[in-house]
Amino acid sequence: MSTLFDLLIAPFADFGFMQRALFGSLMLSLGACPVGVFLMLRRLSLAGDAMAHAILPGAAAGFLIFGLDILPMTVGGLLAGAVVALGAGAVSRFTIQREDASMAAFYLISLALGVLLVSLRGSSVDLMHVLFGTVLALDNEALALIGGIVAVTLGCLALFWRALVAECLDPLFLRSVSRLGSPVHFVFLGLVVLNLVGGFQALGTLLSVGLMILPAAAARFWASRVGSMCVVAVLIGFAACVCGLLLSYHASLPSGPAIILSAGVVYLASILLGTRGIVRARVAHRHRTA
């Protein structure tokens, strides 16, 4: 019994930094995982990855001017994400290029510019902090920021839920029967950027999208309704955060990658064992052909 306590409870009971890391990562899961479900249903998962890189130059500019101060880096990330989202949308609307190609172009430029800006002033340690985050170093200011982002996200999801679901299923129908089509699209992009900026504080620009997409992708193998998928995705995100932090503590591994890899393990297991996974599909097929 004491061994289980030492393995599972003691790291969070004994150390304040582990408590803050757990609280912050659970809040991130609560906001980012439902957004990831809508990204996946819209077949925009890779666009989420692009947006995660898009915030880098703004965060890097904040770092260049103010150092590792959370507020300037957050504001910079939000501005950069908005510029890339609007720029890619404008290019796809007014030229022959599709949105996925313009988004990829903007994301590559943003990633290179952000790394260059960090390198102008910071060391390799600072660069690693911006790219991969430091969830174990979350302070009260960062937790307050993440909490605010989660509150805004859940409020917007509750307010625009039906419109968001309708746009996933048939965006042309939504625009034909309601004026909410275009506004909801931009609200959703804003939520993506907002949650990526929140995840940036803990997981960095390269891993924040992982907590958004992997639990959502895993939930697809366990549920078929949008609401159920969001709940399952959040629970998977919670489990990945707890397991990742414990693995990081006991094995002395980087905490951010440990969380994302834990989510990845759940995703791979869901492909095989989920109610809509490979094994269940094979069993059902054998019963039908027997």
Side-chain angles (χ1 to χ4, degrees), residues 16-271:
F17 69 90
M18 288 291 289
Q19 295 169 9
R20 288 190 293 272
L22 179 64
F23 187 47
S25 58
L26 292 181
M27 285 197 299
L28 285 174
S29 298
L30 189 59
C33 292
V35 173
V37 169
F38 285 103
L39 267 179
M40 179 191 62
L41 292 176
R42 291 168 178 235
R43 300 181 181 179
L44 292 175
S45 300
L46 291 178
D49 185 54
M51 293 305 300
H53 295 81
I55 68 175
L56 181 57
F63 165 76
L64 195 65
I65 300 172
F66 297 98
L68 290 173
D69 191 328
I70 185 173
L71 186 60
M73 294 177 72
T74 299
V75 173
L78 284 172
L79 292 176
V83 167
V84 169
L86 294 175
V91 169
S92 66
R93 181 178 293 270
F94 297 112
T95 71
I96 61 172
Q97 194 167 64
R98 295 179 58 181
E99 190 171 12
D100 59 340
S102 59
M103 186 72 76
F106 274 86
Y107 123 68
L108 290 169
I109 295 169
S110 297
L111 179 61
L113 180 60
V115 172
L116 182 64
L117 287 174
V118 175
S119 301
L120 286 177
R121 173 176 171 178
S123 64
S124 59
V125 174
D126 295 321
L127 181 60
M128 292 291 287
H129 170 84
V130 172
L131 293 179
F132 298 106
T134 51
V135 66
L136 295 180
L138 290 177
D139 56 16
N140 292 335
E141 187 180 6
L143 291 178
L145 173 68
I146 294 171
I149 289 173
V150 172
V152 170
T153 299
L154 296 180
C156 288
L157 288 177
L159 187 62
F160 297 106
W161 179 265
R162 294 183 66 183
L164 286 168
V165 173
E167 194 185 23
C168 288
L169 300 176
D170 194 341
L172 294 179
F173 172 75
L174 177 64
R175 291 172 189 173
S176 67
V177 300
S178 172
R179 296 180 179 179
L180 288 176
S182 294
V184 162
H185 180 69
F186 285 105
V187 167
F188 178 70
L189 287 179
L191 291 180
V192 173
V193 173
L194 200 60
N195 280 274
L196 289 173
V197 169
F200 159 78
Q201 306 299 333
L203 302 171
T205 58
L206 296 185
L207 295 178
S208 58
V209 71
L211 192 60
M212 183 178 289
I213 297 299
L214 283 172
R220 191 73 174 88
F221 293 100
W222 296 98
S224 56
R225 299 177 65 87
V226 178
S228 300
M229 271 189 275
C230 289
V231 172
V232 173
V234 169
L235 293 176
I236 292 173
F238 284 176
C241 291
V242 173
C243 293
L245 288 172
L246 288 173
L247 186 63
S248 170
Y249 176 82
H250 291 296
S252 299
L253 298 175
S255 51
I259 291 173
I260 303 306
L261 283 176
S262 298
V265 169
V266 177
Y267 170 69
L268 295 175
S270 300
I271 293 174

